[in-house]
Amino acid sequence: MDDQSHGKMPLASSRRESRGPDLFSFIECAIQTRSIAALFDLLVNFASNEGFDKVAYGALSCSNERRLPEYLPPPPTINFPSDWCQRYAEQEYQAIDPVVRRTAMLPRPFLWDELTSRYELQPRELRVLREAKEAGLKHGMSVPLFGSQGRSAFVSFASPFDDADPQDRMAHLTTLASAFHNAVAQITPPLDESCETDIPLTPRETECLYWVAEGKSAWVIGQLVNVTDNTVNFHMKNVIRKLGAANRTNAVAKAKATRRGII
């Protein structure tokens, strides 16, 4: 009886189980690699072992102008299907992509499939997610990354397999993303001094400020980010103090006026 007759699952046959030493091997290889393209190839190779062979890496900051992140970066740091990349650019989906917005604002990794249950997405946002699945990005996750000098970026992983489980692979993929980001930082020049990072908001403060700007109450924000409303109020008091604002409304206005991309 051949292997096919044992009824192997498509996902299981498409990747081998990841083991702890593989992550250490990745870190060791990444440290020794001096090329962005070679680093990205290394990341794709190890992510493929987890069943997620579609990868994108790009910067979220820094910019002196308010803009959405370049979610589909130029080669060599993306291997999403070319037809999807072309449609994404032609339709200017970066302006409505719900993954883009959450990647820029959330301080922790998240699953693309969770966006529809956690947020009230607009029909056009749902269209982007649906078309991404149709293009072969059936299950995905994004990892926001933060470094020195305000350097922030993301790594997104996607799988073409219907039975892929990004939740199950989240810890390993997050470790790969972090190690890759650190390795990139070692072989790229420091950020330009004109990059404005003089408002030291924490990721959680930034997240709360974002939802305040969206008109959400402290209680609703607490439900969205899984903290108490008292914790939300605590973070917003810190935001108000750091921005030198009179109240929450003024804090939102100041954040937008600075054009630092805080919200």
Side-chain angles (χ1 to χ4, degrees):
M1 185 177 293
D2 58 24
D3 289 339
Q4 297 282 338
S5 63
H6 288 289
K8 289 185 177 180
M9 296 295 289
L11 178 58
S13 63
S14 65
R15 65 168 174 84
R16 64 177 183 270
E17 286 298 320
S18 179
R19 297 177 297 276
D22 286 342
L23 297 177
F24 292 113
S25 297
F26 175 82
I27 294 172
E28 291 177 357
C29 293
I31 292 174
Q32 299 172 19
T33 304
R34 311 309 299 172
S35 159
I36 297 295
L39 268 175
F40 185 73
D41 288 343
L42 184 68
L43 177 64
V44 170
N45 181 53
F46 276 76
S48 296
N49 293 340
E50 306 287 342
F52 290 80
D53 63 345
K54 302 304 178 186
V55 185
Y57 170 78
L60 292 176
S61 68
C62 181
S63 172
N64 290 328
E65 295 296 326
R66 174 75 173 95
R67 64 174 176 82
L68 287 169
E70 301 286 350
Y71 194 75
L72 289 186
T77 57
I78 183 171
N79 69 349
F80 284 3
S82 57
D83 289 347
W84 169 242
C85 292
Q86 181 177 351
R87 176 167 178 75
Y88 193 100
E90 290 174 349
Q91 298 296 317
E92 298 183 345
Y93 278 165
Q94 74 275 7
I96 61 174
D97 187 348
V99 175
V100 169
R101 196 166 198 181
R102 273 68 191 189
T103 303
M105 302 309 305
L106 295 179
R108 57 188 177 276
F110 64 92
L111 307 183
W112 298 356
D113 291 339
E114 290 182 343
L115 294 178
T116 54
S117 60
R118 291 191 61 188
Y119 304 99
E120 296 180 3
L121 301 184
Q122 299 299 314
R124 58 182 185 172
E125 294 179 300
L126 293 172
R127 183 176 75 245
V128 176
L129 294 178
R130 183 184 68 253
E131 291 186 4
K133 287 180 178 291
E134 293 171 352
L137 307 175
K138 295 184 178 180
H139 297 284
M141 63 167 287
S142 293
V143 184
L145 298 160
F146 306 94
S148 61
Q149 298 180 296
R151 187 191 297 266
S152 61
F154 70 91
V155 175
S156 286
F157 302 95
S159 174
F161 304 115
D162 290 323
D163 57 351
D165 184 0
Q167 180 67 60
D168 180 58
R169 317 313 298 173
M170 179 175 283
H172 282 185
L173 292 174
T174 299
T175 300
L176 290 175
S178 179
F180 175 82
H181 182 54
N182 290 336
V184 169
Q186 294 300 315
I187 60 176
T188 54
L191 297 179
D192 186 82
E193 292 183 358
S194 63
C195 179
E196 302 174 4
T197 60
D198 56 326
I199 299 182
L201 298 187
T202 67
R204 181 67 81 186
E205 290 167 353
T206 300
E207 187 177 19
C208 290
L209 180 60
Y210 165 75
W211 286 118
V212 168
E214 292 286 299
K216 305 298 184 183
S217 68
W219 184 87
V220 172
I221 296 172
Q223 297 299 304
L224 290 169
V225 302
N226 197 31
V227 298
T228 67
D229 52 349
N230 286 336
T231 299
V232 173
N233 290 330
F234 170 78
H235 288 309
M236 285 308 302
K237 286 181 180 179
N238 286 336
V239 170
I240 291 170
R241 174 179 56 80
K242 290 179 179 180
L243 295 180
N247 50 43
R248 296 185 182 191
T249 301
N250 187 224
V252 171
K254 280 179 171 286
K256 290 181 177 179
T258 59
R259 303 178 66 84
R260 291 179 172 88
I262 298 175
I263 59 174

